[in-house]
Amino acid sequence: MKTFIRKHPNIYRYSLALLLFGSALFLSGLINKGLIKQYFPFASVILLTTATWFLYKTDKKSINDIGLNFKLRNLAFLPLGVIIGAIAFLVAKYLRIIYSGETFNITDHVNYSNVIYGMYIILPTVAVEELLFRGYLLKKTIELSSVVKANIIFSILFTLVHVFDDGALKKLPVFVFLSITIPVGHLLFATALLKTKTLFFPIGIHLGNNWATRHLITTINNGDSFFYITNNGTFETWTSFILFILLWNSFFLLVTLIIWKWDKISLFNFLKIILKKD
């Protein structure tokens, strides 16, 4: 075994990571049930974070490599990411409203307990995805290849997980939408990590985005969101549908570019200076 590790250290590292992450997800599946799942659904996050810490430890590095510590500078990126993710989704949704002629409405009576609980229950899911797809393995792949190659590999993996999870293979429009949109999402989250050097930022953006899909603006007026849409538009032709996808993803690519270049923008430069003061 020692001989194999010496000859193939990278294969060993990836195999160990997959084994630890797989074990963490399996154990969390056994734990995350009933009342535990309802009130404290963080078993998978804790186990994956522990596995990540161990991997960095055996690499003679620190989990600080992905900014998972309690420094104020890193923690502040979590709520900032939530705000950016939620606002970005709201703007993108509004662009769709304009494009398809839908009607934007404000909810009269919001169920705030459901809205707040939604943030709590979504957090562990997005944290798990970030640990798996923007954590140790992404950084290791960047070290061994390049940022471009690593992003291509993990954007494909991230897309495959969502395509199979949402059953998109049975619905061609959903498959097309996810196949184009999810890689852009990965690029956004990966850029957030690489720019700030903390996983808290992509977790925040991911959380804000996913929470916004359920509790900021929806197509149902049931009190679980602040805004809702009526007169839902449909795409009669593939041309109109593809143009919408291009519009949607162009906006999120713009958000990604802003994050990548945010030190050139005065507002974000000010925030950067503030966040450096731990």
Side-chain angles (χ1 to χ4, degrees), residues 59-120:
D59 266 350
K60 297 181 179 179
K61 294 182 179 180
S62 167
I63 201 170
N64 290 334
D65 191 59
I66 51 175
L68 286 182
N69 53 46
F70 295 105
K71 290 184 177 180
L72 178 60
R73 182 262 182 195
N74 291 337
L75 289 173
F77 277 111
L78 181 60
L80 177 61
V82 171
I83 294 170
I84 291 174
I87 292 176
F89 180 82
L90 180 63
V91 174
K93 199 73 172 178
Y94 195 73
L95 289 175
R96 172 185 166 125
I97 290 172
I98 296 173
Y99 179 78
S100 58
E102 297 170 332
T103 304
F104 181 86
N105 304 278
I106 301 175
T107 304
D108 293 329
H109 303 287
V110 178
N111 187 332
Y112 289 100
S113 60
N114 283 356
V115 169
I116 295 171
Y117 182 69
M119 183 77 71
Y120 178 77

Coordinates of all heavy atoms in Angstrom, one line a residue, residues 59-120:
D59 N -2.7 16.4 4.1 CA -1.9 17.1 3.0 C -0.9 18.1 3.7 O -0.2 18.8 3.0 CB -2.8 17.9 2.1 CG -3.2 17.1 0.9 OD1 -2.6 16.1 0.7 OD2 -4.1 17.6 0.2
K60 N -0.9 18.1 5.0 CA -0.1 19.0 5.8 C -0.4 20.5 5.5 O 0.4 21.3 5.4 CB 1.4 18.8 5.5 CG 1.9 17.4 6.0 CD 3.4 17.2 5.7 CE 3.8 15.8 6.2 NZ 5.2 15.5 6.0
K61 N -1.7 20.7 5.3 CA -2.3 22.0 5.1 C -3.4 22.2 6.1 O -3.6 21.4 7.0 CB -2.8 22.1 3.7 CG -1.7 22.1 2.6 CD -2.4 22.3 1.2 CE -1.3 22.2 0.1 NZ -1.9 22.5 -1.2
S62 N -4.1 23.4 5.9 CA -5.2 23.7 6.9 C -6.4 23.9 6.1 O -6.4 24.3 4.9 CB -4.8 25.0 7.6 OG -5.9 25.5 8.3
I63 N -7.6 23.7 6.7 CA -8.8 24.0 6.1 C -9.0 25.5 5.8 O -9.9 25.9 5.1 CB -10.0 23.4 7.0 CG1 -11.3 23.2 6.1 CG2 -10.2 24.3 8.2 CD1 -12.4 22.5 6.9
N64 N -8.1 26.3 6.3 CA -8.1 27.7 6.0 C -7.9 27.9 4.5 O -8.1 29.0 4.0 CB -7.0 28.4 6.8 CG -7.3 28.5 8.3 OD1 -8.5 28.5 8.7 ND2 -6.3 28.6 9.1
D65 N -7.4 26.9 3.8 CA -7.2 27.0 2.4 C -8.4 27.3 1.6 O -8.4 27.9 0.5 CB -6.6 25.7 1.9 CG -6.1 25.8 0.4 OD1 -5.2 26.6 0.2 OD2 -6.5 25.0 -0.4
I66 N -9.6 26.9 2.2 CA -10.9 27.3 1.6 C -11.6 28.3 2.5 O -12.9 28.4 2.4 CB -11.7 26.1 1.2 CG1 -11.9 25.1 2.4 CG2 -11.2 25.4 0.0 CD1 -12.8 24.0 2.1
G67 N -10.9 28.9 3.5 CA -11.5 29.9 4.3 C -12.5 29.5 5.3 O -13.4 30.3 5.7
L68 N -12.5 28.2 5.7 CA -13.5 27.7 6.6 C -13.0 27.9 8.1 O -12.4 27.0 8.6 CB -13.9 26.3 6.4 CG -14.8 26.0 5.2 CD1 -15.1 24.6 5.0 CD2 -16.1 26.9 5.2
N69 N -13.1 29.1 8.6 CA -12.7 29.4 9.9 C -13.7 30.5 10.5 O -14.6 30.9 9.8 CB -11.3 29.9 10.0 CG -11.0 31.0 9.1 OD1 -11.7 32.0 9.0 ND2 -9.9 30.9 8.3
F70 N -13.4 30.9 11.7 CA -14.4 31.9 12.3 C -13.9 33.3 12.3 O -14.3 34.1 13.1 CB -14.7 31.4 13.7 CG -15.4 30.1 13.8 CD1 -14.8 29.0 14.2 CD2 -16.8 30.1 13.5 CE1 -15.5 27.8 14.2 CE2 -17.5 28.9 13.5 CZ -16.8 27.7 13.9
K71 N -13.0 33.6 11.3 CA -12.5 35.0 11.2 C -13.7 35.8 10.7 O -14.5 35.4 9.8 CB -11.4 35.1 10.2 CG -10.1 34.5 10.7 CD -9.0 34.7 9.7 CE -7.6 34.2 10.3 NZ -6.5 34.4 9.3
L72 N -13.8 37.0 11.2 CA -14.9 37.9 10.8 C -14.9 38.2 9.4 O -16.0 38.2 8.7 CB -14.8 39.2 11.6 CG -15.9 40.3 11.3 CD1 -17.3 39.7 11.6 CD2 -15.7 41.5 12.1
R73 N -13.8 38.3 8.8 CA -13.6 38.6 7.4 C -14.3 37.5 6.5 O -15.0 37.8 5.6 CB -12.1 38.8 7.0 CG -11.9 39.1 5.6 CD -11.6 37.9 4.7 NE -11.3 38.3 3.4 CZ -11.2 37.4 2.4 NH1 -11.5 36.1 2.6 NH2 -10.9 37.8 1.1
N74 N -14.1 36.3 6.9 CA -14.7 35.2 6.1 C -16.2 35.0 6.5 O -17.0 34.8 5.5 CB -14.0 33.9 6.4 CG -12.6 33.9 5.9 OD1 -12.3 34.6 4.9 ND2 -11.7 33.1 6.4
L75 N -16.5 35.1 7.7 CA -17.9 34.9 8.1 C -18.8 36.0 7.5 O -20.0 35.7 7.1 CB -18.1 35.0 9.6 CG -17.5 33.8 10.4 CD1 -17.5 34.1 11.9 CD2 -18.3 32.5 10.1
A76 N -18.3 37.2 7.3 CA -19.1 38.3 6.8 C -19.5 38.0 5.3 O -20.5 38.6 4.8 CB -18.3 39.6 6.8
F77 N -18.7 37.2 4.6 CA -19.1 36.9 3.2 C -20.3 36.0 3.1 O -20.9 35.9 2.1 CB -17.9 36.2 2.5 CG -16.9 37.2 2.0 CD1 -15.6 37.2 2.6 CD2 -17.2 38.0 0.9 CE1 -14.7 38.1 2.1 CE2 -16.3 38.9 0.4 CZ -15.0 39.0 1.0
L78 N -20.7 35.3 4.2 CA -21.9 34.5 4.2 C -23.2 35.3 4.0 O -23.9 35.1 3.0 CB -22.0 33.6 5.4 CG -23.2 32.7 5.5 CD1 -23.2 31.7 4.3 CD2 -23.2 31.9 6.8
P79 N -23.5 36.3 4.9 CA -24.7 37.1 4.6 C -24.6 38.0 3.4 O -25.6 38.2 2.7 CB -24.7 38.0 5.9 CG -23.4 38.0 6.5 CD -22.8 36.6 6.1
L80 N -23.4 38.4 3.1 CA -23.2 39.2 1.8 C -23.6 38.4 0.6 O -24.2 38.8 -0.3 CB -21.7 39.7 1.7 CG -21.4 40.5 0.4 CD1 -22.2 41.8 0.3 CD2 -19.9 40.8 0.4
G81 N -23.1 37.1 0.6 CA -23.5 36.2 -0.4 C -25.0 35.9 -0.5 O -25.5 35.9 -1.6
V82 N -25.6 35.8 0.6 CA -27.1 35.6 0.6 C -27.8 36.8 -0.1 O -28.7 36.6 -0.9 CB -27.6 35.4 2.1 CG1 -29.1 35.4 2.1 CG2 -27.1 34.1 2.7
I83 N -27.4 38.0 0.3 CA -28.0 39.2 -0.3 C -27.8 39.2 -1.8 O -28.7 39.5 -2.6 CB -27.4 40.4 0.3 CG1 -27.8 40.5 1.8 CG2 -27.9 41.7 -0.4 CD1 -27.1 41.6 2.6
I84 N -26.5 39.0 -2.2 CA -26.2 39.0 -3.7 C -27.0 37.9 -4.4 O -27.5 38.1 -5.5 CB -24.7 38.8 -3.9 CG1 -23.9 40.1 -3.4 CG2 -24.4 38.6 -5.4 CD1 -22.4 39.9 -3.4
G85 N -27.0 36.7 -3.9 CA -27.7 35.6 -4.5 C -29.2 35.8 -4.7 O -29.8 35.6 -5.7
A86 N -29.8 36.4 -3.6 CA -31.2 36.6 -3.6 C -31.6 37.7 -4.6 O -32.5 37.6 -5.4 CB -31.7 36.9 -2.2
I87 N -30.8 38.8 -4.6 CA -31.1 40.0 -5.4 C -30.8 39.6 -6.9 O -31.6 40.0 -7.8 CB -30.2 41.2 -5.1 CG1 -30.7 41.7 -3.7 CG2 -30.3 42.3 -6.1 CD1 -29.8 42.9 -3.2
A88 N -29.8 38.8 -7.1 CA -29.5 38.4 -8.5 C -30.6 37.6 -9.1 O -31.0 37.7 -10.2 CB -28.2 37.6 -8.5
F89 N -31.2 36.6 -8.3 CA -32.3 35.8 -8.8 C -33.5 36.7 -9.0 O -34.2 36.5 -10.0 CB -32.6 34.7 -7.7 CG -33.8 33.8 -8.2 CD1 -33.5 32.8 -9.1 CD2 -35.1 34.1 -7.7 CE1 -34.6 32.0 -9.5 CE2 -36.1 33.3 -8.2 CZ -35.9 32.2 -9.1
L90 N -33.8 37.6 -8.1 CA -34.9 38.5 -8.3 C -34.9 39.3 -9.6 O -35.8 39.4 -10.3 CB -35.1 39.4 -7.1 CG -36.2 40.4 -7.1 CD1 -37.6 39.7 -7.1 CD2 -36.2 41.4 -5.9
V91 N -33.7 39.9 -9.8 CA -33.5 40.6 -11.1 C -33.6 39.8 -12.3 O -34.3 40.1 -13.3 CB -32.1 41.3 -11.1 CG1 -31.9 42.0 -12.4 CG2 -32.0 42.3 -9.9
A92 N -33.0 38.6 -12.2 CA -33.1 37.6 -13.4 C -34.6 37.2 -13.6 O -35.1 37.2 -14.8 CB -32.3 36.4 -13.1
K93 N -35.3 37.0 -12.5 CA -36.7 36.7 -12.6 C -37.5 37.8 -13.2 O -38.4 37.6 -14.0 CB -37.3 36.3 -11.3 CG -38.6 35.5 -11.3 CD -38.3 34.1 -11.7 CE -39.6 33.2 -11.6 NZ -39.4 31.8 -12.0
Y94 N -37.2 39.1 -12.8 CA -37.9 40.2 -13.4 C -37.6 40.4 -14.9 O -38.5 40.8 -15.6 CB -37.5 41.5 -12.6 CG -38.4 42.7 -12.9 CD1 -39.7 42.7 -12.3 CD2 -38.0 43.7 -13.7 CE1 -40.5 43.7 -12.5 CE2 -38.8 44.8 -13.9 CZ -40.1 44.8 -13.3 OH -41.0 45.8 -13.6
L95 N -36.4 40.1 -15.3 CA -36.1 40.1 -16.7 C -37.0 39.1 -17.5 O -37.4 39.4 -18.6 CB -34.6 39.8 -16.9 CG -33.6 40.8 -16.5 CD1 -32.2 40.3 -16.7 CD2 -33.8 42.1 -17.3
R96 N -37.2 38.0 -16.9 CA -38.1 37.0 -17.5 C -39.5 37.6 -17.6 O -40.2 37.4 -18.6 CB -38.1 35.7 -16.7 CG -39.2 34.7 -17.3 CD -39.3 33.5 -16.5 NE -40.6 32.8 -16.8 CZ -40.7 31.6 -17.3 NH1 -39.6 30.8 -17.4 NH2 -41.9 31.0 -17.6
I97 N -39.9 38.2 -16.5 CA -41.3 38.8 -16.5 C -41.5 39.8 -17.7 O -42.5 39.8 -18.4 CB -41.5 39.5 -15.1 CG1 -41.7 38.5 -14.0 CG2 -42.8 40.4 -15.2 CD1 -41.7 39.1 -12.6
I98 N -40.4 40.6 -17.8 CA -40.5 41.6 -18.9 C -40.5 40.9 -20.3 O -41.2 41.2 -21.2 CB -39.3 42.6 -18.8 CG1 -39.4 43.4 -17.6 CG2 -39.2 43.5 -20.1 CD1 -38.1 44.3 -17.3
Y99 N -39.6 39.9 -20.4 CA -39.5 39.2 -21.7 C -40.7 38.4 -22.1 O -41.1 38.4 -23.2 CB -38.3 38.2 -21.5 CG -38.0 37.4 -22.8 CD1 -37.4 37.9 -23.9 CD2 -38.5 36.0 -22.9 CE1 -37.1 37.1 -25.0 CE2 -38.2 35.3 -24.0 CZ -37.6 35.8 -25.1 OH -37.3 35.1 -26.2
S100 N -41.4 37.8 -21.1 CA -42.5 36.9 -21.4 C -43.9 37.5 -21.1 O -44.9 36.9 -21.3 CB -42.4 35.6 -20.6 OG -42.4 35.8 -19.2
G101 N -43.9 38.8 -20.6 CA -45.2 39.5 -20.4 C -45.9 39.0 -19.2 O -47.2 39.1 -19.2
E102 N -45.2 38.5 -18.2 CA -45.9 38.0 -17.0 C -46.2 39.2 -16.1 O -45.8 40.4 -16.4 CB -45.0 37.1 -16.3 CG -44.7 35.8 -17.1 CD -43.7 34.9 -16.4 OE1 -42.8 35.5 -15.8 OE2 -43.7 33.7 -16.7
T103 N -47.0 39.0 -15.0 CA -47.4 40.1 -14.1 C -46.7 39.9 -12.8 O -46.8 38.8 -12.2 CB -48.9 40.1 -13.9 OG1 -49.5 40.2 -15.2 CG2 -49.3 41.2 -13.1
F104 N -46.1 40.9 -12.3 CA -45.4 40.9 -11.0 C -46.3 41.4 -9.9 O -47.0 42.4 -10.0 CB -44.2 41.8 -11.1 CG -43.3 41.9 -9.9 CD1 -42.3 41.0 -9.6 CD2 -43.6 42.9 -8.9 CE1 -41.6 41.1 -8.5 CE2 -42.8 43.0 -7.8 CZ -41.8 42.1 -7.6
N105 N -46.4 40.6 -8.8 CA -47.3 41.0 -7.7 C -46.6 40.9 -6.4 O -45.7 40.1 -6.2 CB -48.5 40.0 -7.7 CG -49.3 39.9 -9.0 OD1 -50.1 40.8 -9.2 ND2 -48.9 38.9 -9.8
I106 N -47.1 41.7 -5.4 CA -46.6 41.7 -4.0 C -47.5 41.0 -3.2 O -48.8 41.2 -3.2 CB -46.4 43.2 -3.5 CG1 -45.4 44.0 -4.4 CG2 -45.9 43.1 -2.1 CD1 -45.3 45.4 -4.0
T107 N -47.0 40.0 -2.4 CA -47.9 39.2 -1.5 C -48.4 40.1 -0.4 O -47.7 40.8 0.3 CB -47.1 38.1 -0.9 OG1 -46.5 37.3 -2.0 CG2 -47.9 37.1 -0.1
D108 N -49.7 39.9 -0.1 CA -50.4 40.7 0.9 C -50.0 40.2 2.3 O -49.7 41.0 3.2 CB -51.9 40.7 0.8 CG -52.3 41.4 -0.5 OD1 -51.7 42.4 -0.9 OD2 -53.3 41.0 -1.1
H109 N -50.0 38.9 2.5 CA -49.8 38.4 3.8 C -48.7 37.3 3.7 O -48.9 36.2 3.2 CB -51.1 37.7 4.4 CG -52.2 38.7 4.5 ND1 -52.2 39.7 5.5 CD2 -53.3 38.9 3.8 CE1 -53.3 40.4 5.4 NE2 -54.0 39.9 4.3
V110 N -47.5 37.6 4.3 CA -46.4 36.7 4.2 C -46.3 35.8 5.5 O -46.4 36.4 6.6 CB -45.1 37.5 4.0 CG1 -43.9 36.5 4.0 CG2 -45.1 38.3 2.7
N111 N -46.1 34.5 5.3 CA -45.9 33.6 6.4 C -44.4 33.7 6.8 O -43.6 32.9 6.3 CB -46.3 32.2 6.0 CG -46.3 31.3 7.2 OD1 -45.5 31.5 8.2 ND2 -47.2 30.3 7.2
Y112 N -44.0 34.6 7.7 CA -42.6 34.8 8.0 C -41.9 33.6 8.6 O -40.8 33.4 8.4 CB -42.5 36.1 8.9 CG -42.8 37.3 8.2 CD1 -44.0 38.0 8.3 CD2 -41.9 37.9 7.3 CE1 -44.4 39.1 7.6 CE2 -42.2 39.1 6.6 CZ -43.4 39.7 6.8 OH -43.7 40.9 6.1
S113 N -42.7 32.8 9.4 CA -42.1 31.7 10.0 C -41.6 30.7 8.9 O -40.5 30.1 9.0 CB -43.0 31.0 10.9 OG -44.2 30.6 10.3
N114 N -42.4 30.5 7.9 CA -42.1 29.6 6.8 C -40.9 30.1 6.0 O -40.0 29.4 5.5 CB -43.2 29.3 5.9 CG -44.3 28.4 6.4 OD1 -44.0 27.8 7.5 ND2 -45.4 28.2 5.7
V115 N -40.9 31.4 5.8 CA -39.8 32.1 5.0 C -38.5 32.0 5.7 O -37.5 31.6 5.1 CB -40.2 33.6 4.8 CG1 -38.9 34.3 4.3 CG2 -41.3 33.7 3.9
I116 N -38.5 32.2 7.1 CA -37.3 32.1 7.8 C -36.8 30.6 8.0 O -35.6 30.3 7.8 CB -37.5 32.7 9.2 CG1 -37.7 34.2 9.1 CG2 -36.2 32.4 10.1 CD1 -38.1 34.9 10.4
Y117 N -37.8 29.7 8.2 CA -37.4 28.3 8.3 C -36.9 27.8 6.9 O -36.0 26.9 6.9 CB -38.7 27.5 8.7 CG -38.4 26.0 8.8 CD1 -37.6 25.6 9.9 CD2 -38.9 25.1 7.9 CE1 -37.4 24.2 10.1 CE2 -38.6 23.7 8.1 CZ -37.9 23.3 9.2 OH -37.6 22.0 9.3
G118 N -37.4 28.4 5.8 CA -36.8 28.0 4.5 C -35.4 28.2 4.4 O -34.6 27.4 3.9
M119 N -34.9 29.4 4.9 CA -33.5 29.7 4.9 C -32.7 28.7 5.7 O -31.6 28.2 5.3 CB -33.3 31.1 5.5 CG -31.9 31.6 5.5 SD -31.3 32.2 3.8 CE -32.3 33.7 3.7
Y120 N -33.2 28.3 6.9 CA -32.6 27.4 7.7 C -32.5 26.0 7.1 O -31.4 25.3 7.2 CB -33.4 27.3 9.1 CG -32.8 26.3 10.1 CD1 -31.7 26.6 10.8 CD2 -33.5 25.1 10.3 CE1 -31.2 25.7 11.8 CE2 -33.0 24.2 11.2 CZ -31.8 24.5 12.0 OH -31.4 23.6 12.9

